[in-house]
Amino acid sequence: MDIHSRKRMGVDTLNERYASREPEHMKLAVEAGGLLFDIDLDVGFFSSTAYEWGQEFSHNHAAYEIHLVQKGRCIMYVDDTYAELEAGSYCVIPPGTYHSQLSVMQGAVVKICFRFSYRATSGGKPHSAGGETNVLLRVLDAMTFYTQKDDGRLSLLVSAVQDELQAQPLGYLAKVRSLFAQMMIDIIRFAPSASSAAYGFPEQTPDDLRTNVIDAFFASHYNGDIREEDLARQLNVSTRQLNRILNERYRASFRQKLLQTRMKVAMDLLKNTDMPVSHIAERVGYQTAGSFYTAFKTNVGITPLAFRQG
């Protein structure tokens, strides 16, 4: 057999399963972690065929390439490095990296291949310099060729994608995108450049902190005699600024926000406890059951008893 030729040794049953439904070439846009991955699937993904390989010409691609060995063993030559791949392992070849398969060990090899590229989504702005999107970008940008033993997860995800594309049930494209999103995250996690990557929870902005203070204030003091000045003092703003902030975040004034909080607590107590209405009125800050009754009917549209029975 010529050293640059491939001799087909046998056809995996997957070929017969997918011959009627699967395309020969398919592109998918997949979002994960604030990144958009362009997945490129060709015959190397759809056709799981056994080949006996000779030496390939060294070549490269403009995208990342994944080789998942399902059966047999082979030797890859990547940027002056030899790497042996056996069944149940995969390798990731970065863009522009010259590579070739030198030989097959112990007969034929069955592989699944696909390519991907990535970019940040228009809305994928990380919350901080150490946010998840930035960390994923750093790992991808620093990713070099690597091999990894598959714990079975990647193979299962690939098989699930192939099943969805073959059967094409309702929502199959959404399911396929979800499966590829999981693949992308797993591939990034095992990259050598991921070993030093770390990030915490997104940092809170001043606006987030203000919202936390406001929510905590009303949750703690809704049943008391509270004033705008009390909350304004905690936020270190004037009462005029306070009401502008409340309007921007809640579309409500101080008095309206207090009333909304009281009604929300009252409705919860009416539905989930046997507490008398008079006790609920006192619990949410009303001096008399009558004033609570009037406020509840005005804002909810029915009486407290009707709400409880509804």
Side-chain angles (χ1 to χ4, degrees):
M1 182 177 65
D2 186 87
I3 196 170
H4 299 305
S5 66
R6 305 174 184 177
K7 180 180 178 183
R8 183 169 178 171
M9 298 296 295
V11 179
D12 189 273
T13 55
L14 283 174
N15 277 1
E16 298 176 5
R17 289 170 57 196
Y18 299 127
S20 61
R21 300 293 297 273
E22 298 238 1
E24 292 185 357
H25 194 193
M26 185 176 188
K27 290 182 179 290
L28 289 170
V30 174
E31 288 193 45
L35 300 178
L36 184 64
F37 293 89
D38 294 309
I39 311 295
D40 191 355
L41 308 177
D42 58 16
V43 68
F45 184 86
F46 296 120
S47 179
S48 185
T49 304
Y51 287 100
E52 184 180 81
W53 295 70
Q55 181 177 352
E56 291 182 308
F57 287 112
S58 184
H59 62 286
N60 65 13
H61 302 287
Y64 291 81
E65 187 171 52
I66 311 299
H67 292 251
L68 171 63
V69 178
Q70 297 178 307
K71 180 181 178 182
R73 301 167 69 190
C74 64
I75 295 177
M76 301 288 292
Y77 184 63
V78 182
D79 271 356
D80 299 324
T81 300
Y82 293 93
E84 180 181 330
L85 290 178
E86 60 182 4
S89 63
Y90 65 91
C91 69
V92 180
I93 303 172
T97 302
Y98 280 90
H99 60 282
S100 62
Q101 183 167 296
L102 293 183
S103 64
V104 170
M105 304 169 65
Q106 299 179 349
V109 65
V110 177
K111 291 196 303 181
I112 287 291
C113 303
F114 66 91
R115 302 186 187 105
F116 73 88
S117 56
Y118 65 90
R119 60 187 185 276
T121 62
S122 58
K125 297 179 180 179
H127 292 280
S128 66
E132 185 173 72
T133 302
N134 270 338
V135 174
L136 292 173
L137 281 170
R138 288 202 300 271
V139 173
L140 283 164
D141 290 344
M143 188 180 290
T144 57
F145 168 75
Y146 78 91
T147 62
Q148 178 67 35
K149 182 70 176 177
D150 181 26
D151 60 3
R153 180 176 171 83
L154 187 61
S155 295
L156 287 174
L157 290 170
V158 167
S159 179
V161 167
Q162 291 174 326
D163 288 343
E164 287 291 320
L165 292 177
Q166 164 62 13
Q168 297 184 8
L170 178 65
Y172 77 97
L173 283 176
K175 182 70 173 291
V176 166
R177 289 189 175 95
S178 174
L179 293 166
F180 266 111
Q182 295 176 64
M183 280 192 232
M184 292 298 97
I185 297 302
D186 284 349
I187 287 167
I188 295 170
R189 279 181 177 176
F190 288 109
S193 51
S195 60
S196 60
Y199 64 95
F201 289 104
E203 295 176 358
Q204 289 186 310
T205 65
D207 285 347
D208 294 330
L209 294 173
R210 278 181 172 176
T211 300
N212 290 345
V213 171
I214 293 169
D215 289 342
F217 177 85
F218 283 105
S220 301
H221 304 292
Y222 64 86
N223 59 347
D225 183 19
I226 56 176
R227 303 174 304 163
E228 294 178 353
E229 290 80 3
D230 300 324
L231 178 55
R233 191 178 304 110
Q234 289 194 24
L235 294 174
N236 196 29
V237 297
S238 67
T239 55
R240 183 177 179 181
Q241 289 175 305
L242 170 64
N243 276 287
R244 186 173 69 248
I245 292 169
L246 291 172
N247 184 61
E248 289 174 353
R249 283 165 177 68
Y250 304 98
R251 295 291 185 266
S253 66
F254 181 88
R255 289 176 60 84
Q256 290 169 333
K257 176 62 176 171
L258 175 59
L259 182 60
Q260 291 170 3
T261 305
R262 286 176 170 177
M263 293 299 106
K264 183 177 180 180
V265 174
M267 287 188 287
D268 181 63
L269 293 173
L270 286 166
K271 281 294 185 183
N272 299 303
T273 74
D274 295 325
M275 188 181 296
V277 173
S278 59
H279 291 183
I280 292 176
E282 184 179 357
R283 174 72 70 87
V284 297
Y286 289 89
Q287 294 183 352
T288 67
S291 59
F292 168 68
Y293 183 98
T294 300
F296 192 93
K297 186 174 181 180
T298 299
N299 288 275
V300 181
I302 56 176
T303 66
L305 287 177
F307 181 84
R308 170 170 275 172
Q309 295 167 359

